[in-house]
Amino acid sequence: MQRLFRAPLRLQKRTTIALLLALFSLSSLLLAGCGGSSSSSGGSSSKITLTVLESVGWVHQPEMDLAKKFEAQTGIHIQYQIIPAANYFQVLDTKLNSGQGPDIFGGQSGVSDLQVQYNVTQNAVDLSNQEWVKREDPNALAQATLNGKVYGQEIWDIYSGYWVIVYNKDIFQKVGITSVPATYNDFVADCAKIKAAGINPIYEPISDGWHQVLWYPESGARMEQLEPGLYDKLNANQATLAGDPASNRAMAQIDELYQKGYFGPTALSDQYANTEKEMTSGKYAMTIDGLTEPAAIQAADPSVQASSFGFFPIPILDNQLLPTHPAAPTKFVYAKGSHIAQAEQYLAFLAQPANLQYYVDHDTLSETVDFSGVKAKWTPDQQAFLNQYQAATTLVLQDSVKYVNPQWIQIGKDMVAMFTRQEMPHQVLVNTDTRRTQEAQAAHDTSWQQ
Amino acid sequence: MNRSTEVARDTSVRPGRDLTLPGSSPRPGRYYHLRNNYPTWFAGGALLLYGAFVLLPSLVGLGYSFTDWSAYSTDLHWVGLANFATIFQPNSEYVGAIVNTVIFTIATIILKTVIALALAVLLTSGVRRLSYLYRALIYLPALLPMVAVGIVFKSILDPDVGLLNSTLRLVGLGGLAQQWLTNVSLALWSVIGVDTWKGVGYIMVILMAGLLAIPRDYYEAAKIDGASGWQAFRYITLPLLRPVLAVTTVLNLLYALRVFDIVYVLTNGGPGYATDTVYIAIFNAFSLGQWGVATALSTVFFIVMIALGFVVLRVMRRPEVACT
């Protein structure tokens, strides 16, 4: 060793310093690596924190309250990470694919989503043996079930959580509209009257990327009504959305609403979070939302009465059916998480009958939830609406037709391209079919095999 | 100066040469190779890390670009050039993203270089008072996180309540108010504008360093010969600044081709596909679970970037002063 440093003194010093620095850097790297692995295990920590990844709008205030109650009872802290809707699936996919998922992750249920979007057989824990499974609505449960195993827990108001047109009764009266439209032509005529009065007919928040899509798949039950067997043909790869006349007509009607300016001048930059504010402002007459929206509007501005808002089905393709939509935000326990037992414990806690009733009683956005034994709180207006319209016997498009829901944001992007004339309505459907084909082939779906 | 001193001076700056003292034995010792190659040891560590974390993943990615790797299946199959065919098929959204990226790249290179050069010349030879303050202020945006800049400008460019349109309306120029980020014709240019605002200070600082390195004698000689300011700029500044301009152009080029964050925050590629760039398209393809296509697109662009960088350097590093 002595001979190694027989170089000039300055050189020896430099070499020594350089070697020490290199050793220090290497040791830092090793220590950092070791440190990372020990902190990530987290098993030795006395206080456990469960991370819950959700999209904006999926977690309501009563759930936050229940999380605090759960922490008080068990000492387990629940940390919610709420991601903007437009980016949610990108963030979730990145986390799942890198093996760094949260303890619980949210997602829209739906059989094809379970398989395609979340790959639940690898990423989620089988919850079939949980006690609450027996109390959840079978239709909702079916949307969170794959190969006979229940992978998710859906606590959602699927009975009054229909996407419908919520309208301002005062504005309708002011412009001389005496009854809600029953056909698409009536709807367009009403929009024209409202616009002529200097009011924007529809608040359509497009900037979030997902809301404008609702118009199309929520009309799926009507498409199926016009052409019985369409869903089955689509799933068997014997029909395409671009090849179906009703599907084309639906997309063309949605486009017409935008081109005629019925979505307002700033629709492309409008945000869903501002819906209540805009609806109370009197600048907009209608929006697509759930039956609970009037209550949310009143909560945003107590001077506005919830009873001054009414509902009617989305009249694309002259639809008069209530869309049945049992797929909804659902919680999955991450299979590679460190706290699986605690995550299951938290889901069981949320589904306790008393906690479900607390959720319904304190949530302005839910009138009931999809569990037995819960007392609903429908208002007379909501009850009258539910009595008046026939519930569709088939589900909305995204719940029944495979490979639609996973590309929801891309369909939204195509629809914006259609609104801004980068694409025509038919092209939106062609692109949707192309992505369905790509997804099906990648999933080795037998119906798409050559 | 004797011979041994020359040898010592020479070897002190050249790695890999004999480092023995002048006058000491030239015979290689026991640790000759160990001692002689010590710079390589350190490079070896870096190369190892580079290989493990850059080269190896790149090669694996290259391999995946020829497979049907996706989120929908755990099986992996060789598909040849199918992913590349998907990228370049007619009406492919990826072609639009490539076109947008090229427009963004050309526009930002020109805008940043021209504005930064003008500011650099102004601040090195024109403006004397408060010059340092101006430099700091112009450079400041370069220090801000891109996401923060994006969020702030998204608010400023809001068509309804944004600062820009509100100001225009306030001063009676409401007719100029636009849907800056949602108009198909304007959105990409709005993004280019914001990116130029953020990046121009960084380029200016590099160009100022280049300008300050040009000897003042040249300008004085030119002045004596009766050269105008423009002639001095055209025949002295520009040629001598060429190597620095080559560097800034390559930096701008590589940045612009990989642009992602500012577009993602401002428009997320919208409205529709109007501001989609290649990296946004890669991100979306990954999000859709089409990992094979995404890696194929990454591979294509990796090759394009290397080729363009090489061409730009070759073109711009020609001798700056021609012999007469």
Side-chain angles (χ1 to χ4, degrees):
Chain A
M1 196 68 187
Q2 210 175 1
R3 288 180 66 182
L4 175 67
F5 294 107
R6 206 176 276 172
L9 187 63
R10 206 169 55 176
L11 190 64
Q12 280 186 28
K13 272 188 179 173
R14 274 192 201 162
T15 312
T16 310
I17 289 168
L19 274 171
L20 284 171
L21 279 172
L23 281 170
F24 178 75
S25 307
L26 196 63
S27 63
S28 302
L29 275 173
L30 288 170
L31 286 171
C34 295
S37 76
S38 73
S39 66
S40 66
S41 69
S44 60
S45 171
S46 59
K47 181 155 183 168
I48 291 170
T49 295
L50 289 181
T51 51
V52 182
L53 190 76
E54 299 272 8
S55 174
V56 167
W58 292 356
V59 179
H60 299 171
Q61 187 54 44
E63 187 179 323
M64 297 286 199
D65 300 340
L66 289 169
K68 284 178 192 160
K69 194 175 158 191
F70 178 73
E71 184 174 357
Q73 281 183 11
T74 62
I76 300 170
H77 177 61
I78 308 295
Q79 185 188 63
Y80 280 96
Q81 298 171 352
I82 311 292
I83 309 293
N87 308 337
Y88 180 72
F89 288 107
Q90 291 163 341
V91 173
L92 176 66
D93 285 349
T94 305
K95 283 179 180 283
L96 294 182
N97 295 331
S98 62
Q100 302 291 319
D103 294 302
I104 296 172
F105 62 92
Q108 287 284 352
S109 61
V111 178
S112 61
D113 282 70
L114 260 56
Q115 187 179 3
V116 174
Q117 187 96 45
Y118 317 120
N119 194 9
V120 290
T121 52
Q122 290 196 10
N123 288 321
V125 172
D126 177 7
L127 302 171
S128 305
N129 295 325
Q130 297 291 310
E131 178 277 329
W132 49 261
V133 167
K134 301 182 196 82
R135 292 183 283 115
E136 189 174 327
D137 181 287
N139 283 331
L141 211 56
Q143 295 295 322
T145 302
L146 188 68
N147 303 329
K149 292 179 181 173
V150 177
Y151 284 101
Q153 181 196 66
E154 180 186 305
I155 299 178
W156 202 256
D157 181 2
I158 60 170
Y159 308 117
S160 45
Y162 300 111
W163 290 104
V164 294
I165 304 278
V166 178
Y167 73 97
N168 186 322
K169 292 177 184 172
D170 296 336
I171 292 177
F172 268 45
Q173 195 176 14
K174 184 178 155 190
V175 301
I177 302 170
T178 53
S179 63
V180 295
T183 65
Y184 174 73
N185 286 338
D186 290 348
F187 182 60
V188 171
D190 291 344
C191 286
K193 275 186 195 171
I194 295 165
K195 195 180 178 200
I199 299 167
N200 297 308
I202 303 160
Y203 183 71
E204 180 47 70
I206 294 174
S207 78
D208 297 271
W210 62 271
H211 191 274
Q212 74 276 13
V213 184
L214 289 166
W215 290 89
Y216 176 73
E218 292 291 319
S219 307
R222 175 63 175 157
M223 291 181 214
E224 175 74 13
Q225 191 183 41
L226 290 170
E227 191 184 327
L230 176 65
Y231 282 1
D232 288 341
K233 285 181 191 165
L234 287 166
N235 283 330
N237 193 24
Q238 292 165 355
T240 59
L241 296 167
D244 180 61
S247 165
N248 278 276
R249 211 162 64 247
M251 193 56 80
Q253 289 179 352
I254 298 162
D255 182 46
E256 185 183 15
L257 295 175
Y258 179 86
Q259 301 305 338
K260 288 191 168 175
Y262 296 158
F263 290 168
T266 56
L268 290 175
S269 53
D270 286 340
Q271 296 172 21
Y272 181 64
N274 293 335
T275 302
E276 286 79 29
K277 191 183 92 178
E278 297 294 353
M279 291 305 287
T280 57
S281 72
K283 289 193 286 186
Y284 291 88
M286 295 177 272
T287 190
I288 287 187
D289 218 302
L291 297 186
T292 53
E293 181 59 10
I297 292 170
Q298 184 173 346
D301 183 354
S303 69
V304 178
Q305 291 300 307
S307 58
S308 60
F309 290 87
F311 321 97
F312 58 89
I314 298 169
I316 296 294
L317 298 174
D318 304 337
N319 175 53
Q320 289 294 286
L321 297 170
L322 288 186
T324 304
H325 184 22
T330 297
K331 286 182 171 58
F332 302 89
V333 175
Y334 184 47
K336 297 164 195 165
S338 312
H339 310 298
I340 290 174
Q342 289 83 356
E344 288 177 344
Q345 188 185 352
Y346 181 54
L347 295 193
F349 173 82
L350 289 176
Q352 285 174 11
N355 290 336
L356 291 171
Q357 194 60 56
Y358 175 89
Y359 185 93
V360 171
D361 293 344
H362 292 83
D363 187 22
T364 55
L365 300 169
S366 306
E367 306 302 341
T368 184
V369 289
D370 46 2
F371 276 77
S372 60
V374 176
K375 191 180 171 194
K377 54 181 175 82
W378 282 309
T379 64
D381 275 350
Q382 291 167 339
Q383 192 64 64
F385 175 78
L386 293 170
N387 292 340
Q388 183 181 351
Y389 292 99
Q390 174 200 355
T393 50
T394 48
L395 309 184
V396 291
L397 188 82
Q398 71 271 25
D399 286 2
S400 287
V401 177
K402 291 191 285 185
Y403 314 118
V404 171
N405 207 43
Q407 52 164 310
W408 191 278
I409 295 292
Q410 274 65 37
I411 297 172
K413 210 168 163 70
D414 272 318
M415 288 177 74
V416 175
M418 170 181 77
F419 294 150
T420 53
R421 279 292 171 264
Q422 297 168 68
E423 286 177 14
M424 297 307 284
H426 181 71
Q427 187 61 41
V428 176
L429 300 173
V430 169
N431 291 352
T432 308
D433 284 329
T434 303
R435 284 188 291 262
R436 287 190 73 228
T437 301
Q438 286 169 350
E439 288 171 19
Q441 286 176 341
H444 305 298
D445 190 315
T446 49
S447 299
W448 268 264
Q449 300 302 313
Q450 299 299 325
Chain B
M1 190 183 288
N2 60 36
R3 187 175 171 274
S4 59
T5 313
E6 281 184 271
V7 169
R9 183 201 286 170
D10 185 32
T11 54
S12 66
V13 294
R14 287 191 192 175
R17 299 286 294 273
D18 190 1
L19 298 175
T20 48
L21 274 173
S24 64
S25 168
R27 185 175 61 84
R30 188 177 167 190
Y31 296 103
Y32 173 79
H33 292 295
L34 207 60
R35 188 170 62 235
N36 211 33
N37 297 323
Y38 86 95
T40 317
W41 309 342
F42 299 116
L47 281 174
L48 193 71
L49 290 174
Y50 186 77
F53 295 109
V54 179
L55 285 182
L56 187 63
S58 301
L59 288 173
V60 171
L62 181 67
Y64 276 130
S65 64
F66 296 99
T67 68
D68 62 352
W69 187 37
S70 78
Y72 312 120
S73 172
T74 49
D75 299 337
L76 207 62
H77 301 101
W78 177 265
V79 294
L81 296 172
N83 291 328
F84 297 91
T86 302
I87 294 168
F88 293 107
Q89 71 187 3
N91 294 324
S92 159
E93 63 187 75
Y94 302 115
V95 174
I98 291 169
V99 171
N100 284 341
T101 306
V102 170
I103 294 171
F104 180 91
T105 303
I106 294 170
T108 51
I109 288 176
I110 292 172
L111 284 170
K112 282 183 194 174
T113 306
V114 170
I115 297 170
L117 185 58
L119 288 170
V121 170
L122 202 65
L123 290 177
T124 48
S125 56
V127 178
R128 298 282 182 205
R129 289 187 64 190
L130 300 174
S131 164
Y132 285 99
L133 179 67
Y134 292 134
R135 284 182 208 184
L137 286 176
I138 295 167
Y139 184 70
L140 196 62
L143 300 175
L144 300 174
M146 194 60 99
V147 174
V149 170
I151 291 169
V152 169
F153 269 93
K154 195 169 183 177
S155 165
I156 290 172
L157 299 174
D158 185 279
D160 201 19
V161 294
L163 183 68
L164 181 56
N165 278 359
S166 299
T167 306
L168 287 171
R169 291 185 192 110
L170 193 71
V171 299
L173 296 172
L176 295 178
Q178 301 289 335
Q179 305 223 5
W180 301 104
L181 296 174
T182 54
N183 181 319
V184 175
S185 310
L186 279 176
L188 185 60
W189 292 101
S190 300
V191 176
I192 288 169
V194 174
D195 188 69
T196 302
W197 175 84
K198 185 177 184 323
V200 79
Y202 177 65
I203 302 300
M204 180 196 76
V205 168
I206 298 173
L207 292 179
M208 281 179 77
L211 284 172
L212 292 170
I214 299 173
R216 305 306 302 169
D217 304 358
Y218 294 169
Y219 293 103
E220 284 161 17
K223 198 173 178 183
I224 291 167
D225 290 342
S228 65
W230 167 248
Q231 284 171 322
F233 176 78
R234 169 72 182 81
Y235 295 106
I236 299 172
T237 307
L238 270 186
L240 292 176
L241 205 58
R242 200 169 182 165
V244 184
L245 283 170
V247 171
T248 59
T249 305
V250 171
L251 284 175
N252 275 330
L253 179 78
L254 295 183
Y255 162 77
L257 289 174
R258 292 181 295 120
V259 68
F260 173 80
D261 38 15
I262 191 69
V263 182
Y264 184 71
V265 178
L266 280 175
T267 63
N268 198 11
Y273 297 91
T275 59
D276 255 0
T277 60
V278 170
Y279 271 66
I280 290 279
I282 291 172
F283 185 68
N284 287 337
F286 265 110
S287 302
L288 267 177
Q290 298 170 347
W291 302 334
V293 176
T295 47
L297 195 54
S298 303
T299 302
V300 168
F301 231 60
F302 177 67
I303 294 165
V304 168
M305 277 197 287
I306 289 179
L308 281 177
F310 180 75
V311 169
V312 169
L313 277 178
R314 283 295 295 265
V315 169
M316 298 201 71
R317 282 203 169 160
R318 284 179 301 178
E320 55 269 18
V321 182
C323 295
T324 54

